[in-house]
Amino acid sequence: MNRTDFLKTSALAGASLITDPVQVRAFITRQPAKKYRTALVGTGWWGGNILLNAVQAGESKIVALCDVDTRQLQKTSDALSKLTSDKPKLYRDYREMLIAEKPEIVIVATPDHWHPLIAIAAMKAGAHVYVEKPISHTINEGKAMVRTARETGKICQVGMHRRVSPHNVSGREFIQSGKVGKIGMARAFVHYAGGAGQPTPDAEAPKEIDWNMWCGPAPLRAYNPAMHPRSWRNFLDYANGTLGDWGIHWMDQILWVTERNHPKKVYTTGGRAIKKDSTDAPDHQVSTFEFDDDFTAVWEHRTFGGNMAEKTHPQQAVGVYFYGTEGTFHMGWLDGWTFYPSDPKKPVIHQDAQLDKPDDQNIALLWANFLSSIKSNKLPVCDIEIGHRSTNMALLGMLSLKLGRSVEWDGKQIPNDPEANKLLSRAYRGEWQYPV
C-alpha cells in the first residue's frame, strides 16, 4: 500500500479507537480550544502515519511539511489535501522551516541519524517535539536531547506506542500482580524469513533529492537505491540495524515491565552469515544484558530461516518472553499476550491485541497523551528520558558488537574503558556541529 492509499484508507476507516488505558480518550473526542501549529519533518511512510493521527486528533493546524526528497514531499502534501483544508508550506531545510513557520509542535520522522539535531533545534525554537524511535544514533546525542528538553521545558514524546497499547498495558499489570512469580530472565526476539539477496549497484541520486542533505551529519556515501526510501535501517552509518529498529520496542518493554533503568553489563555477538546484499547491518545477532539484581535480558534476531515455531505474523516471529517462577509470559504484537503456567493443571491465559487499523499500531493514543502533556505541562508516557534509556539498550548492544567484547555501563558512561567511551559519540561531517 502506498502513502496515498494508506491515508485514504485510514481516513475512510476513521481510525476507530479502543479503550484508552491512560485515560486520554477525552482529548481525542472533545472539541479543542485551539489548534497547535504543527510541522512534519520527514514525509516518508511513517511520518505520514504520524501526521494522519495528528490530523484526526483535531488539534493541529498543519503549517509545514519538510523533506529533502521533493517526491515524498509532494506526495504527502497531495494526500493531506484530501483530509484537511490546511495549506502547509513545503520546505527542504528544517532550519528555514523553523524560522519561517514558528511551529508549536514538530514531528521528527526522518532516518535515525537526523533525529537529534532536528529535535534539539525544534525545542530551542520553542516547539514541543514528537520524535520517532530510536531517538539517536549515538548515546551522547541522546543525552543532549534530554538536556535540551529539560532546559527548554518543552514536551518531547518518543514514538514507543506500546506503552499505551491496551494489551501491553494489561500484560504489564498481569506480570506486576505477581501471577508470573519472580522474573529471572526475559528474551526478546524478531525473526524474519529471507535469503542472501544480491548487491544493488550505486547510482546517481535522483534530481528530486538533495543527497548531501539526506546524509547530513553522517558520512557522505554514494546514493544507492537500496537505501532510500525506507531501507536505510540496515545501513549502519544512518541507523543501527534490526536491534536499533525493532529491538528498541522490546528493550523498552523489558525496562518498563520490570521497572529497571539500565543494565550493568552488555555482550553481543553476531554478524552476516547469509546476507550478500548491499546492507552492512548484522543478519543475526544475540545481545545479553546483565542487571544488578541477577536479572538477565537477551535480544536475538535473524533475517533468514523462518521460525515457524514462534511465528506470530505472516513474515516474522516477534515479542518478548518473561520467565518467572510461576510460568512463562509472552508479550506479543498482533497476537496479544499469553501466559503459560508452570503448573500443567492451570489453564493458559490469553488476551487479544487491540490495535488501530490499518497499521496495527496505537499511535492515536500516544498522540493524545502527547497533547495532554502539553496542556498539563506534565511529562508524557514516553518522555525523552525514557526513550533515551531504551535507545541506550540497543546502542550498547551495537557498541559491544563493534568492539567484539563486553562493556559495562553505569547509566551515564562505560567505566574505565576509554576505547568504548569513544563510541558514545561520533564525528559529525561538514557544517554540522555535534550536540553537547
Side-chain angles (χ1 to χ4, degrees):
M1 177 181 291
N2 62 35
R3 176 187 303 282
T4 303
D5 292 338
F6 170 79
L7 290 174
K8 286 180 179 177
T9 303
S10 300
L12 292 172
S16 64
L17 299 172
I18 42 72
T19 301
D20 185 352
V22 290
Q23 297 182 337
V24 295
R25 176 182 287 277
F27 289 100
I28 299 174
T29 58
R30 75 169 55 157
Q31 292 297 319
K34 66 166 289 184
K35 287 194 174 185
Y36 297 94
R37 294 175 57 82
T38 300
L40 168 66
V41 185
T43 59
W45 170 71
W46 197 250
N49 196 4
I50 302 167
L51 183 67
L52 168 69
N53 283 274
V55 170
Q56 291 179 331
E59 298 191 42
S60 285
K61 175 180 175 60
I62 311 303
V63 298
L65 303 176
C66 181
D67 202 297
V68 299
D69 189 335
T70 57
R71 297 168 302 180
Q72 291 193 158
L73 195 58
Q74 192 60 53
K75 191 174 184 180
T76 299
S77 177
D78 292 344
L80 184 66
S81 69
K82 296 177 174 63
L83 299 173
T84 175
S85 60
D86 295 346
K87 305 292 184 184
K89 292 185 178 179
L90 308 184
Y91 292 86
R92 299 187 78 180
D93 191 319
Y94 71 94
R95 296 168 295 184
E96 296 175 6
M97 181 270 291
L98 290 173
I99 293 171
E101 302 302 330
K102 297 179 174 54
E104 298 167 281
I105 290 176
V106 173
I107 302 166
V108 182
T110 61
D112 299 352
H113 68 289
W114 265 116
H115 290 174
L117 287 183
I118 298 173
I120 288 171
M123 286 186 280
K124 288 184 175 180
H128 302 287
V129 169
Y130 182 110
V131 61
E132 256 311 308
K133 58 79 198 167
I135 68 164
S136 60
H137 192 270
T138 64
I139 288 175
N140 282 344
E141 290 172 320
K143 291 179 183 177
M145 295 170 78
V146 174
R147 185 168 59 251
T148 301
R150 300 299 180 254
E151 290 174 352
T152 62
K154 295 301 175 184
I155 299 299
C156 189
Q157 178 87 289
V158 181
M160 297 185 300
H161 44 80
R162 283 171 176 79
R163 285 208 174 205
V164 295
S165 294
H167 81 270
N168 296 87
V169 172
S170 68
R172 178 177 185 254
E173 293 172 350
F174 185 91
I175 293 172
Q176 292 189 340
S177 73
K179 295 182 176 68
V180 185
K182 178 177 173 55
I183 305 294
M185 177 182 170
R187 170 180 164 257
F189 58 96
V190 170
H191 296 307
Y192 290 89
Q198 58 186 3
T200 301
D202 291 339
E204 183 176 351
K207 64 181 185 301
E208 295 90 351
I209 183 172
D210 183 342
W211 186 245
N212 180 66
M213 186 68 168
W214 190 98
C215 293
L220 177 65
R221 58 155 291 166
Y223 173 81
N224 190 292
M227 295 174 61
H228 174 78
R230 291 188 67 172
S231 299
W232 45 266
R233 291 175 179 84
N234 283 305
F235 290 83
L236 296 182
D237 281 337
Y238 313 105
N240 278 282
T242 303
L243 177 53
D245 177 30
W246 255 114
I248 183 177
H249 280 298
W250 305 109
M251 298 299 99
D252 179 66
Q253 290 284 288
I254 290 170
L255 294 180
W256 181 51
V257 167
T258 65
E259 297 186 334
R260 291 172 169 86
N261 290 334
H262 65 84
K264 67 176 182 180
K265 189 175 183 179
V266 182
Y267 176 67
T268 297
T269 186
R272 290 176 62 84
I274 303 297
K275 288 293 184 186
K276 303 296 182 184
D277 57 15
S278 296
T279 65
D280 58 3
D283 62 16
H284 70 287
Q285 186 170 350
V286 179
S287 297
T288 301
F289 303 87
E290 298 178 9
F291 290 78
D292 279 330
D293 52 355
D294 295 325
F295 170 74
T296 300
V298 177
W299 163 261
E300 62 181 60
H301 80 256
R302 185 182 62 253
T303 59
F304 55 87
N307 185 346
M308 301 304 290
E310 295 175 312
K311 187 175 181 181
T312 61
H313 182 277
Q315 296 178 320
Q316 65 195 206
V318 61
V320 54
Y321 284 106
F322 293 91
Y323 301 99
T325 53
E326 297 299 317
T328 297
F329 183 99
H330 175 247
M331 185 81 83
W333 173 27
L334 301 176
D335 55 337
W337 62 258
T338 306
F339 175 58
Y340 305 90
S342 298
D343 185 346
K345 297 179 181 179
K346 294 182 178 180
V348 172
I349 302 173
H350 174 79
Q351 179 171 318
D352 289 338
Q354 299 177 58
L355 302 167
D356 293 342
K357 297 296 182 181
D359 61 334
D360 287 319
Q361 313 291 350
N362 293 110
I363 299 171
L365 294 178
L366 193 59
W367 186 265
N369 174 257
F370 180 45
L371 295 177
S372 172
S373 296
I374 292 172
K375 295 168 186 175
S376 65
N377 197 32
K378 294 181 180 179
L379 294 180
V381 70
C382 294
D383 173 59
I384 185 66
E385 188 166 357
I386 291 172
H388 177 49
R389 292 172 184 164
S390 300
T391 295
N392 287 351
M393 290 275 283
L395 297 185
L396 288 167
M398 295 303 294
L399 190 151
S400 171
L401 182 66
K402 292 173 185 176
L403 289 172
R405 59 177 172 82
S406 64
V407 294
E408 296 182 357
W409 180 245
D410 65 8
K412 296 180 179 179
Q413 64 180 349
I414 300 169
N416 305 313
D417 195 338
E419 180 187 16
N421 274 306
K422 288 180 181 178
L423 296 180
L424 299 181
S425 303
R426 69 168 174 175
Y428 271 12
R429 182 177 65 92
E431 66 183 284
W432 309 104
Q433 299 297 314
Y434 197 91
V436 294

